[in-house]
Every structure is written in structure tokens, then in C-alpha cells.
């Protein structure tokens, strides 16, 4: 049968099953890890023999083909996970499609001299095992898929069980689009019922060549035990430092929109503010003008602590990524949906400061001067080297802070999400690899570097 006929048949089946009440046959979704990896391996072996032009077409098809579904994906994700804001997720997904680099990210390096020519080329790894978080499930999945396929790989997605429905749906849709654009199925796969056990089985599967882990410290530790190469994007606790030279009105706005974006579930989002006392009151006032709600009553703050932090010290899933008005209602304060973030004054050892809460609660720590601010912010960041932001007009101080923080992302005079290419220069990613040092990962990080040498030739200068 001709390729076109087969394609048309599959598309027809897909369309038909979408119309009926029976569950959609999900392409790329398998019952077992073994079946899924096997299918991805087979697909990758075909894909790696295709031209770069084919890969470009695949990436372009993914960008265009996923666009009509952005709203649906955003809302279904919020519905399933109970985390985030639909309107913010739409922006994140848009960003993924617009600014995740494709094949153009794979730059060849060439050296020439009296001994000839050496090329450094970027080749596929094979099948990548990608672990995705519950907090940004579809964003990470789509972003990883674009970068990994651009680099010539297939990918097995080990998704969070709490986001399995939307993740399966996205995997299936991506597969359909890839198939329509290049005739290869199963370059993107997953399993029906994800679990920790299945994730661990995948991590040690002999046909998985690289692990890309986006999640908390536990899964990063687990991945490191696999004996495979790991790109690990772990947890952070980003402080926002504000000194007396800052443009306070702008700093307040940047911090409020950054910390409240998708209800603070981004690992890069401002999780606390450290401000010098000269400007703290004015900063808080300006933050309130930008949609922050200030809680001053100590008893209510304690109630919020007891409610949002579980006995084992971890933030309660009941409140992760919830709206500020929902959290406030639980402590007896009624405000409307427009309140984007809850702010409070706290000291530097307050649990809301030291823990990665992933909810729109933003403590403000007051310090005497810049030196104390930097020391405090460093302590809060806790050498995770993930993300920090700073608001100041003093270049010397910003330079010093950048050197001391050594974070993968350091944003000056902007919202944290400027570091993801949202209102800041550069490409986007939802996998910021700090423990293993790749920083904001793109296609080139998902490729193996190879040295290809020609002796005594092609030095033509
Ligand atoms: P999580 O660590 O609970 O889960 C992440 C993924 O790992 C899920 O797919 C989960 O099923 C899997 N997993 C968890 N423990 C595992 C284990 N022991 N063995 C195998 N697999 C395991 O994280 P989450 O709550 O879904 O996401 C939030 C966390 O992820 C936060 O800490 C956040 O900072 C981090 N994160 C980091 C980045 C980054 O780019 N650095 C991006 C998004 C989220």
C-alpha cells in the first residue's frame, strides 16, 4: 500500500475514534515500559537515517500542529492536577511553541590548521528517557519533545501519575503530528499507567541512552544511581533581592507577576523577597497595588503554616499551585480571584522562606543593608545554584551578586520568567539543569558531541 494511503487511513481512524464514545486509541501509549522502549528504539533507528530537512519539517509541524490545542491542554492540565492558572498555562505553552529551539540549535564547530580539519558534530543519543513533573507536565513534555526530536532522538516520557491523562493525550497528539509529517510512528512514547516503579524500570533499561530528569531532589537522586548519563533539572528556592537603588515600583510589579505566574509552581519563580529596610515598606505598598494581599495577623500566618506544611515538613499537595483566594479562604479571609499572591513579613528562618512551597505565598524578609541582603539571599538559595533575581541600579552590586550566587539563571531588574525567555532574551526551556550543569537545556544538550578528524586536508586558508 502507498505511504499516503496508509497515512490517510490512520488519520481517519483517529478522527473516527475521537467522534465516538469509546476511548481514543492513544498513539505512542503502551501497556509496558518494555513495549514502549522497543517501539521507540525501532522508530529512532528509522528517524536517524532521515535528513535534517525532515527533522526541520517535524519540528515545524509540531509547532503548528499543537497550536490549536493550547487552550484545551492548559485547561485540562489545571483540571487534572488542580494546580496553576489556565490563562498562565496558555502563555507558557505558547512560549514553548514559539521559543523552543529546533534543528538550528545544533551548531557544528570546525577547527582547521596544518594538520587538517576537525569537526565537532552533534549526533543523537538514541532513545532518551525523560521524566516530567506534575507542576508543568504538558509544557515540559512539549518542550522536551521539540528539543529531543530536533537532535534526532526518540523519547520515552515517564510522566507524573498525577498528570497521566493530559500527558498521555499530549504524547498521542504529538505522535499523530510527527507521523503525518515524516511517516514515523512512536518517536514519542509513554505508558498507560505511570508509576515510580515503571520510572525506575525505565531508568535502568539498556536501550535508554540518556536520562533527562525534571523534578524534585528525590527523583534526581534516584536517576543518579542508574549508572547512565543524566541531565538533572532539580528543585530551587529563588530569592528576589531588592536594594535601595532599585526602581521600587517596577521591582514590585516584576516580583508580583513573577511570583504569582501559574500560582508559583515554576521552579524558577520568586519564592521570597529580601529587601533592605529603607525600601521595604514602600515595596510592600507597591506590591499590594500590583495585586498582592498582605497578611499581618501573626495568628493567621501561623494558621497558614500549619495548614500548608505537613508533619513531615513537605508542602501539602492540597495547596501546591492553588489560587491565592483559595488559600486565603481556608484561613477565613474572603478575597476575589484577582488577588494573585499572598505576602507577609517574615524572618529568614521562617518555613515559608526556607522551603520550596510552590504556592502563591511570598514572604518578605527585611535586612539592614545590601551586604546583609546578599548574605541572606545566598542562605535562602541554599547553594542549589538554581535561580535568583535582583532589583538594583548598582552594577557593581549586581556583578558581585551574580558571582556569589552562581545560579543557572540570574535575572536583573525583571521577573524570574525573563530567564525562561519570557520578556527576556534567549530561547525557552522548562528543564533547567542545575545539578548537572547544562543550565537552560535545548536541542544541543540532547545530542552527543563527536569529534571527526580529516588529516592533511581542508585547511585552505
Ligand atoms: P516530583 O519529584 O515529585 O516528581 C517528578 C517526576 O519524578 C514525576 O514524574 C514522578 O513520578 C517522578 N519520581 C518521583 N520520585 C521518583 C523516584 N523515587 N523514582 C522514580 N521517579 C520518581 O516533582 P513534582 O512535584 O512533580 O514537581 C515539582 C518539583 O520539580 C519541584 O521541586 C520543582 O522545583 C522541580 N522542577 C524543576 C524544574 C527544573 O527545570 N529544574 C522544572 C520543573 C520542576
Amino acid at each position: 500500500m502507498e505511504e499516503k494511503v496508509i497515512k490517510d487511513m490512520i488519520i481517519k481512524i483517529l478522527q473516527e475514534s475521537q467522534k465516538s464514545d469509546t476511548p481514543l486509541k492513544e498513539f505512542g501509549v503502551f501497556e509496558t515500559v518494555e513495549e514502549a522502549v522497543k517501539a521507540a528504539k525501532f522508530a529512532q533507528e528509522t528517524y536517524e537515517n532521515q535528513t535534517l530537512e525532515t527533522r526541520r519539517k517535524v519540528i515545524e509541524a509540531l509547532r503548528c500542529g499543537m497550536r490549536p490545542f493550547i487552550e484545551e491542554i492548559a485547561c485540562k492540565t489545571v483540571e487534572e492536577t488542580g494546580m496553576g492558572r489556565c490563562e498562565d498555562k496558555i502563555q507558557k505553552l505558547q512560549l514553548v511553541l514559539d521559543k523552543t529551539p529546533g534543528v538550528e540549535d545544533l551548531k557544528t564547530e570546525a577547527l582547521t590548521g596544518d594538520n587538517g580539519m576537525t569537526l565537532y558534530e552533534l549526533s543523537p543519543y538514541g532513545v532518551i528517557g525523560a521524566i516530567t513533573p506534575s507542576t508543568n507536565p504538558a509544557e515540559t513534555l512539549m518542550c522536551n519533545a521539540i528539543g529531543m526530536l530536533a537532535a534526532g532522538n526518540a523519547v520515552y516520557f515517564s510522566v507524573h501519575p498525577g498528570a497521566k491523562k493530559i500527558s498521555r493525550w499530549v504524547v498521542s497528539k504529538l505522535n499523530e503530528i510527527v507521523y503525518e509529517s515524516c511517516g514515523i510512528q512512536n518517536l514519542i512514547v509513554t505508558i498507560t499507567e505511570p508509576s515510580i516503579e515503571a520510572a525506575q524500570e525505565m531508568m535502568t533499561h539498556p536501550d535508554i541512552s540518556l536520562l533527562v530528569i525534571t523534578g524534585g531532589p528525590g527523583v534526581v537522586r534516584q536517576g543518579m544511581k542508574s549508572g547512565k548519563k543524566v541531565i538533572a533539572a532539580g528543585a530551587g528556592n529563588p530569592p528576589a533581592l531588592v536594594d535601595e537603588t532599585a526602581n521600587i515600583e517596577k521591582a514590585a510589579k516584576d516580583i508580583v507577576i513573577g511570583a504569582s505566574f501559574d500560582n508559583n509552581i515554576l521552579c524558577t519563580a520568586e519564592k521570597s523577597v529580601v529587601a533592605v529596610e529603607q525600601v521595604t515598606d514602600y515595596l510592600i505598598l507597591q506590591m499590594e497595588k500590583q495585586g498582592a494581599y498582605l497578611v499581618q495577623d501573626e495568628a493567621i500566618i501561623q494558621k497558614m503554616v500549619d495548614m500548608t506544611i505537613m508533619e513531615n515538613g513537605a508542602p501539602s499537595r492540597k495547596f501546591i499551585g492553588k489560587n491565592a483566594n483559595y488559600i486565603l479562604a481556608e484561613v477565613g479571609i474572603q478575597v476575589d480571584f484577582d488577588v494573585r499572591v499572598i505576602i507577609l513579613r517574615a524572618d529568614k528562618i521562617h518555613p515559608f522562606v526556607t522551603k520550596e512551597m510552590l504556592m502563591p505565598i511570598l514572604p518578605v524578609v527585611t535586612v539592614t543593608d545590601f551586604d546583609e541582603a546578599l548574605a541572606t539571599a545566598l542562605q535562602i538559595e541554599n547553594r542549589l545554584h538554581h535561580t535568583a533575581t535582583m532589583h538594583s541600579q548598582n552594577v557593581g552590586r549586581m556583578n558581585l551578586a551574580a558571582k556569589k550566587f552562581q545560579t543557572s539563571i540570574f535575572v536583573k531588574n525583571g521577573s524570574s520568567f525573563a530567564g525562561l525567555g519570557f520578556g527576556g532574551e534567549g530561547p525557552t526551556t522548562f528543564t533547567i539543569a542545575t545539578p548537572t550543569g547544562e543550565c537552560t537545556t535545548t536541542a544541543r544538550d540532547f545530542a552527543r558531541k563527536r569529534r571527526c578528524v580529516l588529516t592533511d586536508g581542508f585547511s585552505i586558508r
Side-chain angles (χ1 to χ4, degrees), residues 75-131:
C75 297
K76 278 184 173 166
T77 306
V78 174
E79 195 183 302
E80 183 179 3
T81 64
M83 290 187 258
R85 286 182 174 241
C86 200
E87 67 278 17
D88 295 349
K89 284 208 184 293
I90 291 171
Q91 295 195 63
K92 283 160 76 181
L93 291 163
Q94 193 85 47
L95 181 70
V96 166
L97 295 182
D98 291 341
K99 291 190 84 175
T100 305
V103 180
E104 73 285 359
D105 195 50
L106 308 169
K107 297 251 190 320
T108 300
E109 285 172 52
L111 303 173
T112 59
D114 294 340
N115 292 321
M117 179 181 69
T118 292
L119 294 181
Y120 287 99
E121 284 280 54
L122 294 171
S123 290
Y125 273 98
V127 183
I128 297 178
I131 304 222

Side-chain angles (χ1 to χ4, degrees), residues 83 131-136 140 158-161 194-197 199-200 203 213-220 222-223 232-236 265-268 271 317 320 356 358 386 430-435:
M83 290 187 258
I131 304 222
T132 54
S134 58
T135 45
N136 313 296
T140 310
S158 177
V159 308
H160 195 286
S195 64
I196 300 285
E197 295 71 30
Q200 293 176 0
M203 283 178 179
I213 299 177
T214 311
V219 64
V220 168
Q222 187 69 41
I265 51 178
L266 280 164
C267 55
T268 47
K271 301 276 185 284
R317 286 257 167 205
I320 291 181
E356 186 197 33
L358 299 163
H386 193 297
F430 280 82
T431 298
I432 301 106
T434 294

Side-chain angles (χ1 to χ4, degrees), residues 3 32 85 96 102 127 133 170 178 187 235 239 287 298 359 369 404 449 458:
E3 195 182 66
T32 66
R85 286 182 174 241
V96 166
V127 183
V170 172
V178 171
L187 280 172
M287 287 168 86
E298 284 303 324
M359 51 189 88
D369 55 19
K404 293 280 182 197
K449 195 168 179 181
F458 278 88

Side-chain angles (χ1 to χ4, degrees), residues 40-41 43-44 47 126-128 148-149 152-156 186-188:
K41 185 166 186 276
Q44 199 275 332
Y47 188 54
V127 183
I128 297 178
M148 290 170 185
L149 263 64
N153 305 286
V155 49
Y156 173 107
N186 299 323
L187 280 172
I188 302 163

